Amino acid sequence: MPKVLPETLGGRHRFSPLSLYVGDRLAATAFARLDDVGLFWLDVWVLSLSRGGRWSLRDGTSTAAGPADDLLAPSPAATALNGHGRADGTARSDINAGRWFPWPARWVTYGVVRLSSEVGAVRFEGRHIMVPEHGLQVLAWSPNHKKETSVELLDQKGEPISTLPLT
C-alpha cells in the first residue's frame, strides 16, 4: 500500500488501493476505481494460497459507489455511523468452482467493514490489523457454521470498544 493516497481520483489516478487483508490461506484487497464515464466503484478481490505457494485470484465484486460515498475521505465519527462500525455487506464464493472431481465445495466469505474514526485497529481471527485513515477494511474468512463470525474493534490505544458481527 502506498504511504500517501490521492485525495481524489481522476486524470492519472484511476485506481487507489484502500485495504488489504492477508490470512493463513486467504487474502482480500479493496480498491477505489474511477471508470471511463466518471463513475466511482469499490472493487473487492479475494485470493487463495495454492499448495505450490502461489496466490491465485478466486473471485471479486464491483459495487457502484454513490455520490455520497467518498471512498478516500477520512473515516466519520461514531455518531455519523450510528456506532463504531458497520458491515457493508458480504459475499460468498466457492473457491473450488470448476472442479472435475465430486469434491465438496470450499466456501470463502469476504466483505468490507466501515469503521469510525475512533477505531484504530481490529482483531480478526487472531490478527491485529491497523485501520486505514478512511476507515474501510476488507476481510476474508472460511465460514464456521457453528458460530457467528465477528470482528473486535479496538480504540487508538488498542483497548476493546465493541464487537461487530459479520454474518
Side-chain angles (χ1 to χ4, degrees):
M1 298 269 299
K3 293 191 183 285
V4 178
L5 296 176
E7 291 185 22
T8 60
L9 293 179
R12 295 180 345 179
H13 299 286
R14 294 288 183 179
F15 286 93
S16 181
L18 295 175
S19 181
L20 170 69
Y21 170 78
V22 180
D24 289 334
R25 299 194 60 80
L26 294 174
T29 61
F31 289 89
R33 177 172 55 92
L34 177 65
D35 69 9
D36 293 338
V37 295
L39 299 176
F40 290 94
W41 296 84
L42 175 63
D43 293 345
V44 177
W45 301 99
V46 66
L47 301 96
S48 68
L49 189 61
S50 67
R51 289 188 181 139
R54 289 189 60 201
W55 288 99
S56 300
L57 181 64
R58 295 302 181 181
D59 196 15
T61 59
S62 291
T63 305
D69 296 330
D70 191 354
L71 298 174
L72 299 176
S75 58
T79 54
L81 275 180
N82 294 325
H84 290 292
R86 71 170 188 253
D88 282 344
T90 60
R92 194 172 102 157
S93 175
D94 177 7
I95 63 172
N96 283 345
R99 59 195 178 275
W100 286 84
F101 300 107
W103 294 325
R106 186 166 158 231
W107 293 102
V108 170
T109 306
Y110 57 98
V112 176
V113 294
R114 174 65 122 177
L115 303 165
S116 72
S117 57
E118 291 85 357
V119 178
V122 296
R123 189 174 294 127
F124 182 68
E125 293 190 338
R127 289 179 168 72
H128 190 85
I129 305 164
M130 301 301 293
V131 174
E133 183 181 335
H134 47 70
L136 287 173
Q137 180 63 50
V138 65
L139 300 168
W141 64 96
S142 295
N144 182 345
H145 301 290
K146 296 180 176 82
K147 66 177 190 170
E148 181 179 74
T149 303
S150 62
V151 61
E152 185 178 17
L153 309 181
L154 309 172
D155 66 10
Q156 304 297 340
K157 297 176 185 174
E159 300 294 323
I161 53 176
S162 180
T163 300
L164 181 64
L166 297 176
T167 53

